[in-house]
């Protein structure tokens, strides 16, 4: 065993002990708290279904919006997922939709083709500009900032008829995988409020997983769509690069940052993924994809990887997540009469190094400057001292990232060598997938952690971040619940601009595994299993 691997094994042992101790200190023997069950059947329908019923007048937009507002009020006190609401405006917009449809005088801009989600309520990550609403990204110095206009994908959603219910929480400056900040506080998981929701789009994943929003929008630079979708049991899609505009977010992500950052949909039902992606992308982005192409899943080539791999400084994969991925592979084989090739690639061991180097290469502004709202750089050594006495306005993860950035300037790195190795991995995976292949890969090595535990597992983002570094589209797919009632899931990876393949596989896995499962009590889990076949 190499020295580095011995160090990693020792750190895992120490961190595991700390996690157990902290969990006992923070949570004690408290039973898992849960949110109220969903009682309104309208909350169990996809956006596509609701849009069809609203347009055919089977239900009014006002009734749908009222149902979701009631659900938000019912659960948000426990979750703190929606941090800025616009309920009165949303109801007024819903009534306008109903009056127009009832009149029979529907302008072309509100036709089914131009407004496919007419009257459907949605939520928006607070980091996106929504005209007249807060746009802090959890930065205290921006608490009075209002967005002057809509971000392009938000504007596209509004043009498509979506009604914005409110804004959802994120991590400070969208650079951590627990959604907590000193503007809005901490968001809790709908399956167990003692646990985290992921980040940075954690509020979106949470409010949708709780059945309190139909669908929404997130941004992903290292897993910020896929991790929240995974931890909250829903679907999330990281599209191919340059399909959906990244303009209109804070922090801004333009120029070279586009190599890593993507904007995409989060929703409970796979049927909504492609239509919502079309809306967000607009005609220009859609021209790069093949979302209307029929996919014969029996002619797709399937690969599975990552269930037995080890990675530098990253936790070992939880056995239940490993088994869930293997069951998904077996389901595809049996249902579609295909072969799933189980393979490996030693370069994935360096996933976190590849992602970090790509992040460094893409950065056009220092993180400490972003902490100062694109102004004077924040001194994180001072902020660390202030945090010790409770005086800093910045979270521990943000301060730690600022300190890491300062250390990075004085530590020699082998950037060119690492980037070359990353390019080799990209070429190998793209060659393997071709234009007809998909890859099953774990979304995260652990299920939803207790609050603050990510501080002890900072490099577990490697499972998602690697595909930002490789520039490939990925769909996070829920695979039911674990033995203790937490969401399971898997990533479905495709080649560049082959989003239609990953979305088609997501729909098939939803058919086999049930997709999103409403949060339920732990006592209700006995006898439940993954997959259609009890013997899977």
């Amino acid at each position: 065993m190499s020295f580095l691997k011995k160090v990693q094994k020792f750190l895992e042992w120490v961190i595991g002990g700390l996690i157990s101790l902290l969990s006992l200190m923070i949570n004690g023997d408290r039973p898992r708290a849960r949110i109220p069950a969903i009682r309104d059947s309208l909350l169990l329908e996809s956006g596509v279904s609701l849009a069809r019923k609203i347009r055919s007048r089977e239900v009014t937009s006002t009734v749908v919006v009222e149902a979701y507002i009631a659900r938000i009020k019912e659960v948000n006190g426990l979750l703190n997922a929606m941090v800025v609401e616009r309920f009165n405006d949303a109801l007024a917009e819903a009534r306008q939709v109903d009056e127009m449809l009832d009149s029979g005088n529907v302008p072309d801009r509100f036709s089914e083709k131009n407004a496919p989600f007419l009257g459907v309520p949605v939520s928006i990550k607070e980091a996106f500009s929504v005209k007249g609403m807060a746009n802090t990204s959890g930065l205290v110095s921006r608490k009075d900032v209002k967005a002057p206009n809509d971000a392009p994908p938000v504007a596209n959603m509004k043009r498509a008829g979506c009604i914005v219910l409110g804004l959802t929480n994120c991590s400070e400056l969208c650079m951590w995988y627990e959604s907590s900040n000193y503007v809005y506080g901490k968001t809790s998981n709908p399956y167990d409020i003692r646990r985290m929701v992921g980040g940075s789009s954690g509020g979106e994943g949470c409010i949708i997983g709780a059945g309190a929003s139909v669908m929404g929008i997130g941004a992903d630079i290292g897993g910020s769509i896929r991790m929240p979708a995974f931890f909250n049991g829903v679907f999330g899609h990281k599209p191919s690069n340059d399909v959906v505009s990244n303009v209109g977010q804070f922090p801004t992500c333009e120029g070279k940052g586009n190599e890593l950052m993507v904007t995409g949909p989060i929703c409970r039902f796979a049927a909504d993924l492609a239509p919502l992606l079309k809306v967000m992308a607009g005609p220009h982005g859609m021209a790069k994809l093949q979302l209307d192409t029929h996919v014969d899943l029996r002619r797709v080539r399937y690969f599975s990887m990552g269930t037995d791999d080890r990675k530098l400084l990253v936790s070992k994969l939880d056995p239940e997540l490993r088994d869930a991925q293997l069951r998904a592979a077996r389901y595809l084989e049996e249902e579609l009469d295909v072969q799933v090739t189980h393979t490996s690639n030693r370069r994935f061991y360096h996933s976190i190094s590849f992602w970090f180097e790509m992040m460094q290469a893409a950065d056009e502004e220092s993180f400490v400057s972003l902490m100062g709202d694109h102004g004077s750089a924040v001194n994180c050594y001072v902020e660390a001292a202030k945090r010790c006495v409770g005086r800093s306005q910045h979270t521990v993860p943000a301060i730690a990232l600022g300190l890491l950035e300062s250390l990075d300037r004085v530590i020699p790195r082998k950037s060119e060598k690492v980037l070359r190795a990353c390019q080799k991995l990209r070429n190998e995976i793209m060659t393997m997938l071709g234009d007809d292949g998909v890859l099953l890969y774990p979304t995260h090595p652990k299920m939803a952690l207790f609050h603050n535990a990510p501080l002890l597992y900072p490099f577990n983002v490697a499972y998602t971040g690697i595909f930002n570094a490789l520039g490939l589209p990925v769909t996070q797919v829920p695979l039911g619940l674990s033995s203790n009632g937490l969401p399971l899931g898997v990533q479905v990876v495709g080649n560049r601009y082959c989003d239609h393949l990953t979305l088609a596989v997501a729909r098939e896995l939803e058919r086999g595994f049930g997709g999103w499962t409403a949060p339920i009590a732990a006592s209700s889990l006995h006898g439940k299993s993954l997959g259609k076949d009890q013997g899977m």
Side-chain angles (χ1 to χ4, degrees):
M1 183 183 295
S2 69
F3 174 75
L4 192 58
K5 288 184 178 180
K6 288 180 179 178
V7 170
Q8 180 174 344
K9 193 172 183 64
F10 174 74
L11 288 174
E12 288 174 353
W13 181 81
V14 172
I15 289 172
L18 286 172
I19 285 290
S20 299
L21 179 61
L22 286 173
S23 296
L24 181 64
M25 292 172 59
I26 295 171
N27 299 293
D29 295 323
R30 288 187 297 166
R32 181 177 64 193
R34 62 184 186 272
I35 62 175
I38 295 173
R39 293 181 294 275
D40 192 330
S41 61
L42 281 176
L43 303 178
L44 300 175
E45 298 206 31
S46 68
V48 170
S49 174
L50 288 173
R52 184 176 61 251
K53 290 186 174 183
I54 290 169
R55 196 173 288 276
S56 66
R57 311 314 289 141
E58 293 179 54
V59 67
T60 66
S61 175
T62 301
V63 167
V64 174
V65 169
E66 286 174 342
Y68 273 93
I69 290 174
R71 179 62 175 171
I72 292 168
K73 290 179 177 180
E74 183 178 43
V75 302
N76 204 49
L78 289 169
L79 303 178
N80 189 38
M82 184 164 285
V83 292
V84 183
E85 53 91 355
R86 59 183 304 275
F87 295 160
N88 290 336
D89 289 339
L91 284 168
E93 291 167 12
R95 286 191 287 268
Q96 290 174 0
V97 167
D98 290 330
E99 290 170 4
M100 176 183 64
L101 291 173
D102 287 338
S103 73
N105 183 21
V106 181
D108 185 60
R109 70 178 184 276
F110 295 117
S111 67
E112 189 171 359
K113 176 183 177 181
N114 294 325
F117 288 113
L118 185 64
V120 176
V122 300
S123 47
I124 306 291
K125 182 180 180 180
E126 199 262 10
F128 286 87
S129 295
V130 179
K131 187 175 181 179
M133 300 192 73
N135 184 219
T136 71
S137 281
L139 199 62
V140 173
S141 62
R142 288 177 59 88
K143 64 182 179 180
D144 296 321
V145 171
K146 305 293 182 184
N149 45 46
D150 292 324
V154 173
N156 288 345
M157 291 172 71
K158 286 185 176 181
R159 277 192 290 270
C162 296
I163 294 175
V164 177
L165 293 171
L167 309 181
T168 54
N169 205 16
C170 58
S171 54
E172 183 179 357
L173 290 169
C174 298
M175 281 300 293
W176 187 240
Y177 76 102
E178 175 159 24
S179 291
S180 178
N181 57 70
Y182 288 114
V183 179
Y184 302 117
K186 184 173 295 182
T187 301
S188 296
N189 193 293
Y191 294 85
D192 182 349
I193 65 171
R194 301 171 302 173
R195 297 178 183 268
M196 49 165 272
V197 296
S200 61
S201 311
E204 275 297 280
C206 176
I207 203 73
I208 294 167
S213 176
V214 179
M215 54 196 183
I217 183 172
D220 191 313
I221 200 169
S224 293
I225 288 173
R226 290 159 291 152
M227 283 189 288
F230 165 68
F231 291 132
N232 296 280
V234 297
F235 292 89
H237 182 66
K238 171 187 119 53
S240 295
N241 292 16
D242 302 322
V243 169
V244 181
S245 172
N246 290 321
V247 174
Q249 298 181 53
F250 182 83
T252 57
C253 188
E254 302 174 36
K256 289 193 297 183
N258 281 329
E259 296 176 15
L260 291 170
M261 172 69 88
V262 290
T263 296
I266 302 175
C267 49
R268 278 179 287 149
F269 302 97
D272 290 331
L273 283 170
L276 187 54
L277 178 56
K278 290 180 183 180
V279 165
M280 291 179 179
H284 176 73
M286 273 299 298
K288 301 178 181 181
L289 300 181
Q290 308 169 58
L291 295 187
D292 293 325
T293 301
H294 171 71
V295 177
D296 183 350
L297 291 172
R298 288 176 171 80
R299 299 180 69 86
V300 173
R301 294 181 302 115
Y302 298 89
F303 302 89
S304 181
M305 190 183 295
T307 53
D308 297 312
D309 294 348
R310 291 310 309 270
K311 293 178 176 59
L312 179 65
L313 302 176
V314 174
S315 299
K316 186 177 180 180
L317 184 65
D318 186 286
E320 285 198 73
L321 292 170
R322 177 183 182 275
D323 291 345
Q325 181 172 325
L326 295 177
R327 282 193 289 266
R330 190 156 61 246
Y331 166 80
L332 293 172
E333 288 182 325
E334 295 174 355
E335 189 70 18
L336 302 175
D337 192 24
V338 298
Q339 179 180 352
V340 177
T341 301
H342 295 267
T343 184
S344 62
N345 188 308
R346 59 184 176 82
R347 298 190 200 280
F348 274 96
Y349 177 78
H350 300 284
S351 292
I352 196 66
S353 300
F354 293 160
W355 182 70
F356 270 131
E357 287 300 335
M358 288 290 290
M359 285 286 289
Q360 291 293 330
D363 278 346
E364 296 181 338
E365 182 176 8
S366 68
F367 184 73
V368 291
S369 175
L370 292 176
M371 291 175 71
D373 193 4
H374 298 294
S376 300
V378 169
N379 187 325
C380 284
Y381 293 97
V382 173
E383 293 302 321
K386 290 166 66 176
R387 173 52 38 216
C388 290
V389 293
R391 299 295 297 274
S392 177
Q393 296 182 334
H394 299 286
T395 58
V396 169
I399 294 170
L401 285 170
L403 293 173
L404 182 64
E405 184 179 64
S406 65
L407 290 173
D408 185 64
R409 297 193 189 100
V410 298
I411 296 175
R413 305 201 325 263
K414 300 178 180 179
S415 299
E416 292 185 7
K417 181 179 179 180
V418 173
L419 291 174
R420 283 197 302 271
C422 183
Q423 182 61 52
K424 288 180 181 178
L425 177 59
R426 181 185 297 116
N427 293 340
E428 290 166 357
I429 298 301
M430 292 178 72
T431 299
M432 180 184 78
L433 294 176
D435 60 3
D436 63 347
V438 297
L439 169 67
L440 303 183
Y441 200 85
T443 309
H444 200 79
K446 293 179 176 291
M447 290 167 276
L449 298 163
F450 287 109
H451 287 303
N452 303 314
L455 289 169
L456 298 174
Y457 297 106
F459 303 117
N460 281 357
V461 298
Y463 279 83
T464 48
I466 184 59
F467 296 109
N468 296 82
L470 300 181
L472 301 177
V474 188
T475 307
Q476 140 62 30
V477 180
L479 295 175
L481 303 181
S482 70
S483 58
N484 63 344
L486 296 176
L488 302 167
V490 69
Q491 294 184 97
V492 181
V493 184
N495 216 335
R496 194 167 296 173
Y497 304 126
C498 289
D499 302 54
H500 60 296
L501 298 183
T502 71
L503 296 175
V505 174
R507 291 190 293 270
E508 179 59 36
L509 288 175
E510 180 185 49
R511 191 172 73 87
F513 288 79
W516 168 73
T517 304
I520 57 177
S523 58
S524 302
L525 292 173
H526 299 298
K528 288 188 176 288
S529 66
L530 257 168
K532 291 168 57 178
D533 185 346
Q534 292 290 328
M536 287 181 73

